[in-house]
């Protein structure tokens, strides 16, 4: 009898362990992550810090600059080629790295970070890297994808000072203009000197900025653009290069350093002065960029990225610059998008100059301005007067432009888009899905964030609409590159490359989102259940009319009212999707335990603030009534049922787990009875046994209260909703959901310390009560929350 009992005990123990291993992970596992993006994505193994993109539009080959490596990827099959891409290793010798570390730099910084990739006129690629704080440049032969070699067999290199930054994290920009490289970078090891220079080409024509804080004052370079004038322009204007950066303003007499965004311009034909400004720019002019919300009085003073787009191909006058701004004074994340036309910048550059009088440290308008006008490019009219090049300009003109590089007027624009709580890192502009007459100003902004998201925003005139927010990478991977190629957006992070559609009506998954893209040429087709380009015979309708035609549940201003059963003391976050840049407001019972997070509302539940909550947004402007975007009803419930309400898709798993637990209890009871009979018949003592349910086999699962307070931290929801419901959180003060249900882990730990006789008596009582109450068995603590899914709008 004893042997049989021991055999049954071992069999039951194995069965119990199998049940725990099978059911518990499925019940309490973390929710699976949502697919990041609809497209091809690949992560490069053993490669880090991908920072530079260069696209060969003819072949579709994308060249990537990374740490100690240059990659070549076929964009026609990214996922396959990224697994085994063509790779050039260009690292730093160990002795040079050691010398760099000896100068006080870290081992990671003393590597070769590729910061420049540009095509030369003969088809080769000019590449520059930091090379352990000693910038070096080389050339890549595209045919065999290799670095050109020197006579000694090593890499053929030339100095990269002035062409590439010394430090990997330093701000930098460069652009190739007719085979000549123009750069804006630091020019010394300490990073205290800055230059905007013509870095390649004829040695006699390599010029740079004058070393003066009036020219460049601790700048952070952002972007550059080469603007070609029309060959048949009547004035004979020269081509120009524009540089965008943020610098410390010297025109403000304040105790603190004030940063301002700037645009600077130089002429491609500038070769410096004869005596004054030798080897220096004679056409360097700069102006302040103002991105300001005049109604709210908010000015955005730090420029982070600029994208240049020519809205009418072949017409330089249609060029616009889209910039991402943030504020120097705001503590929370804040991003704004402003757009500037090339014509507005030209007007400011042709306007009055700003001057600082040395005696009173005040800026005034200078008088008089010498002739010919300082800072202008050599035109046909100047050539007719005998000024064939900048070398022929008088010293008084060069002295004036040396002392007065800043313009009096600013280039002013109002923000197209303002987002609080979001930090945009990169911007690109895609044309609308279908071009229409009268919609030449329409465009789609692709905005990358520091949390690995890609936002699509439609722009029609001065009206902007947030269409989609797509998670592309993990929150730890910021978007640092966006490149458009053949209707695709190549989005990069320091380790990953993703290929997703850049435009097209098919991107918009619902009737409501498609209706908001109505002015971009998209229309919802109910029969196909898809968003498609508008046909010529389609009846012309406005966006508001298209929204009204959508299903009532998706209607913009008639959302379904959602009931949330909550417990007193919990904190909940009620989502409200904000589709425009205009503000949103809430109607709710008056109570002080509320706080608005941008468009969402945080509520600490009490008996006084339950009731109806509604969110209203000014989607159509101030001339239209606010639109109701969300509606909720908060009702108090018995706290004991809150964990049951949290279950979503795993009820069948929990039921199977409860059934196995019940069967295990019965078998355990029978086992204990057999063991007690065997011991009484053999006269053995009733000592405690520790091998019945050892601690290593005890299911250690968190309680539902800990899941609520720790598994879902209170963070701002910035897009969509959580399964269409409000997100429920525990009180930060330590208040837990009081539930009279059994904690399985604690229960089993307690039973482990009891004797078999005591356990048998407890099991008899539990089985008797369980047989009576089994139809009403409650869900054990530790049941998982509903999976959180972010929905795009």
């Amino acid at each position: 009898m004893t042997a049989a009992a021991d055999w049954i005990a071992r069999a039951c123990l194995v069965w119990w362990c199998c049940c725990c291993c099978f059911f518990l992970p499925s019940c309490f596992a973390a929710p699976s992550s949502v697919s990041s993006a609809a497209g091809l994505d690949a992560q490069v193994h053993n490669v880090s810090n991908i920072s530079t993109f260069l696209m060969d539009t003819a072949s579709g080959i994308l060249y990537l600059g990374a740490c100690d490596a240059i990659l070549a990827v076929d964009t026609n099959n990214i996922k396959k080629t990224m697994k085994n891409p063509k790779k050039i290793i260009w690292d730093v010798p160990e002795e040079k790295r050691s010398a760099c570390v000896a100068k006080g730099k870290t081992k990671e910084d003393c590597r070769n970070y590729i910061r420049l990739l540009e095509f030369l006129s003969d088809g080769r690629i000019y590449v520059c890297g930091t090379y352990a704080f000693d910038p070096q440049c080389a050339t890549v032969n595209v045919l065999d994808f290799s670095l050109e070699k020197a006579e000694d067999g090593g890499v053929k290199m030339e100095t990269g000072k002035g062409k590439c930054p010394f430090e990997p994290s330093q701000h930098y920009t460069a652009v190739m203009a007719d085979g000549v490289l123009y750069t804006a970078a630091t020019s010394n090891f300490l990073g205290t000197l800055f230059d905007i220079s013509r870095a390649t080409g004829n040695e006699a024509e390599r010029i740079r900025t004058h070393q003066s804080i009036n020219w460049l004052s601790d700048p952070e370079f952002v972007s550059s653009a080469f603007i070609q004038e029309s060959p048949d322009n009547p004035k004979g204007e020269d081509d120009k290069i524009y540089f965008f950066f943020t610098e410390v303003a010297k025109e403000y007499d304040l105790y603190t350093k004030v940063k301002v965004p700037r645009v600077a311009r130089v002429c491609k034909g500038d070769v410096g002065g004869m005596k004054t400004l030798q080897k220096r720019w004679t056409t360097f002019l700069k102006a302040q960029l103002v991105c300001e919300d005049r109604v709210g009085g908010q000015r955005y003073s730090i420029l982070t990225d600029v994208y240049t787009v020519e809205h009418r191909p072949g017409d330089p006058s249609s060029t616009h610059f889209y910039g991402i701004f943030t504020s120097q004074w705001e503590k929370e994340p804040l991003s704004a998008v402003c757009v500037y036309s090339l014509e507005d910048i030209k007007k400011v550059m042709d306007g009055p100059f700003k001057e600082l009088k040395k005696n009173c440290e005040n800026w005034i308008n200078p008088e008089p301005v010498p002739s010919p006008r300082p800072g202008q490019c050599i035109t046909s009219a100047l050539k007719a007067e005998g000024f064939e090049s900048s070398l022929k300009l008088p010293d008084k003109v060069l002295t004036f432009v040396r002392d007065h590089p800043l313009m009096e007027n600013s280039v002013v624009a109002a923000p197209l888009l303002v987002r609080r709580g979001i930090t945009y890192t990169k911007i690109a502009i895609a044309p609308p899905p279908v071009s229409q007459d009268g919609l030449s100003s329409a465009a789609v902004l692709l905005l990358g964030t520091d949390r690995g998201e890609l936002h699509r925003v439609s722009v029609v005139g001065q009206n902007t609409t947030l269409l989609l927010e797509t998670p592309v990478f993990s929150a730890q991977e910021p978007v640092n590159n966006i490149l458009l190629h053949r209707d695709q957006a190549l989005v990069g992070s320091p380790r990953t490359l993703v290929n997703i559609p850049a435009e097209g009506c098919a991107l918009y998954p619902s009737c409501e989102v498609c209706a908001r893209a109505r002015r971009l040429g998209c229309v919802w087709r109910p029969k196909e259940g898809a968003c498609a380009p508008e046909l010529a015979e389609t009846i012309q309708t406005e966006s508001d009319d298209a929204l009204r035609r959508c299903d009532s549940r998706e209607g913009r201003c008639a959302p379904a009212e959602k009931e949330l059963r909550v417990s007193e003391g919990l904190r909940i976050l009620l989502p409200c999707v904000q589709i425009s840049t205009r503000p949103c407001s809430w109607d709710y019972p008056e109570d002080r335990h509320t706080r608005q997070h941008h468009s969402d509302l945080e509520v600490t539940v009490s008996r006084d603030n339950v009731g109806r909550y509604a969110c209203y947004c000014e989607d159509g402007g101030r001339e239209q009534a606010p639109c109701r975007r969300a509606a909720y009803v908060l009702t108090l419930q018995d706290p004991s049922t809150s964990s049951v309400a949290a279950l979503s898709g795993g009820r069948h798993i929990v039921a199977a787990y409860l059934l196995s637990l019940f069967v295990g209890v019965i078998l355990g009871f029978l086992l204990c009875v057999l063991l007690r009979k065997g011991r009484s018949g053999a006269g053995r003592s009733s000592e405690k046994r520790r091998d019945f349910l050892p601690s290593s086999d005890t299911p250690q699962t968190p309680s539902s209260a800990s899941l609520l307070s720790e598994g879902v931290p209170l963070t701002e929801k910035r897009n969509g909703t959580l399964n269409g419901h409000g997100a429920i959180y525990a009180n930060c003060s330590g208040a837990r959901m009081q539930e009279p249900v059994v904690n399985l882990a604690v229960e089993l730990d307690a039973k482990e310390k009891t004797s078999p006789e005591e356990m048998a008596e407890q099991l008899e009582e539990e089985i008797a009560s369980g047989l009576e109450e089994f139809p009403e068995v409650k869900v054990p603590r530790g049941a998982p929350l509903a999976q959180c899914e972010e929905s795009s709008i």
Side-chain angles (χ1 to χ4, degrees), residues 6-18:
D6 290 339
W7 182 86
I8 295 175
R10 294 178 185 276
C12 290
L13 180 60
V14 173
W15 177 84
W16 177 267
C17 293
C18 292

Side-chain angles (χ1 to χ4, degrees), residues 223-228 240-244 262-265 289 291 303 305-311 316-325 337-346 349 411-414 416 427 429 445:
S223 181
S224 52
F226 173 47
I227 305 299
Q228 292 178 284
K240 302 174 182 64
I241 297 93
Y242 290 85
F243 294 90
F244 298 87
R262 305 279 200 205
V263 55
R265 186 199 71 185
L289 296 174
C291 181
L303 183 64
D305 191 38
V306 173
Y307 188 86
T308 305
V309 59
E310 192 175 80
H311 285 292
S317 63
S318 66
T319 302
H320 285 72
F321 306 98
Y322 291 78
I324 299 176
F325 293 82
V337 176
C338 279
V339 59
Y340 305 91
S341 68
L342 181 63
E343 294 300 317
D344 289 341
I345 295 177
K346 284 184 176 181
M349 295 293 184
V411 190
V412 183
L416 289 176
I427 184 174
I429 312 300
L445 309 184

Side-chain angles (χ1 to χ4, degrees), residues 765-776:
E765 296 175 359
E766 291 175 358
I767 291 175
S769 60
L771 291 174
E772 296 175 357
E773 300 178 2
F774 179 70
E776 300 178 359

Side-chain angles (χ1 to χ4, degrees), residues 124-387:
R124 297 178 300 166
I125 298 177
Y126 194 66
V127 53
C128 297
T130 58
Y131 210 74
F133 283 79
D134 182 20
Q136 297 293 321
C137 296
T139 54
V140 175
N141 190 340
V142 177
L143 296 179
D144 59 358
F145 195 60
S146 63
L147 291 170
E148 292 191 355
K149 303 295 183 181
E151 295 180 356
D152 59 358
V155 178
K156 185 179 180 181
M157 297 186 296
E158 64 181 30
T159 179
K161 294 180 179 179
K163 308 172 187 176
C164 178
F166 284 71
E167 188 174 351
S169 61
Q170 285 175 340
H171 296 271
Y172 162 76
T173 183
V175 63
M176 192 70 76
D178 293 337
V180 179
L181 183 66
Y182 295 80
T183 64
T186 54
S187 57
N188 66 337
F189 179 85
L190 298 176
T192 56
L193 298 179
F194 307 90
D195 277 328
I196 293 177
S197 63
R198 182 187 291 125
T200 62
N202 189 344
E203 188 69 31
E205 296 180 354
R206 296 188 183 183
I207 59 178
R208 57 188 178 90
T209 47
H210 179 58
Q211 293 298 327
S212 169
I213 60 172
N214 289 336
W215 282 47
L216 293 173
S217 176
D218 195 16
E220 296 177 357
F221 300 112
V222 172
S223 181
S224 52
F226 173 47
I227 305 299
Q228 292 178 284
E229 297 290 340
S230 300
D232 56 348
N233 71 87
K235 295 183 180 181
E237 284 283 352
D238 191 13
D239 296 338
K240 302 174 182 64
I241 297 93
Y242 290 85
F243 294 90
F244 298 87
F245 55 95
T246 302
E247 69 173 353
V248 177
K250 293 300 179 182
E251 63 267 31
Y252 300 121
D253 187 14
L254 299 174
Y255 290 102
T256 185
K257 292 183 178 180
V258 178
K259 294 184 177 182
V260 294
R262 305 279 200 205
V263 55
R265 186 199 71 185
V266 295
C267 299
K268 191 182 72 173
D270 191 351
V271 292
M274 179 62 70
K275 297 180 180 180
T276 305
L277 293 181
Q278 290 185 14
K279 297 278 187 178
R280 302 294 185 268
W281 295 108
T282 65
T283 56
F284 179 84
L285 297 176
K286 64 179 182 179
Q288 181 175 346
L289 296 174
V290 175
C291 181
E292 182 180 18
D293 182 6
R294 295 184 178 179
V295 177
Q298 176 72 54
R299 179 171 291 194
Y300 309 95
S301 56
I302 297 179
L303 183 64
T304 58
D305 191 38
V306 173
Y307 188 86
T308 305
V309 59
E310 192 175 80
H311 285 292
R312 295 186 297 274
D315 182 7
S317 63
S318 66
T319 302
H320 285 72
F321 306 98
Y322 291 78
I324 299 176
F325 293 82
T326 186
S327 175
Q328 179 183 358
W329 315 110
E330 293 286 339
K331 294 183 179 180
E332 66 173 341
L334 175 67
S335 295
V337 176
C338 279
V339 59
Y340 305 91
S341 68
L342 181 63
E343 294 300 317
D344 289 341
I345 295 177
K346 284 184 176 181
K347 290 178 182 178
V348 173
M349 295 293 184
D350 293 338
F353 296 88
K354 190 183 285 285
E355 182 179 8
L356 173 67
K357 293 198 66 175
K358 301 298 175 66
N359 56 351
C360 61
E361 297 289 331
N362 289 325
W363 294 87
I364 63 172
N365 294 337
E367 291 291 343
V369 177
S371 180
R373 178 181 171 83
Q376 66 174 321
C377 299
I378 301 299
T379 61
S380 300
L382 288 179
K383 291 179 181 179
E385 295 178 9
F387 304 107

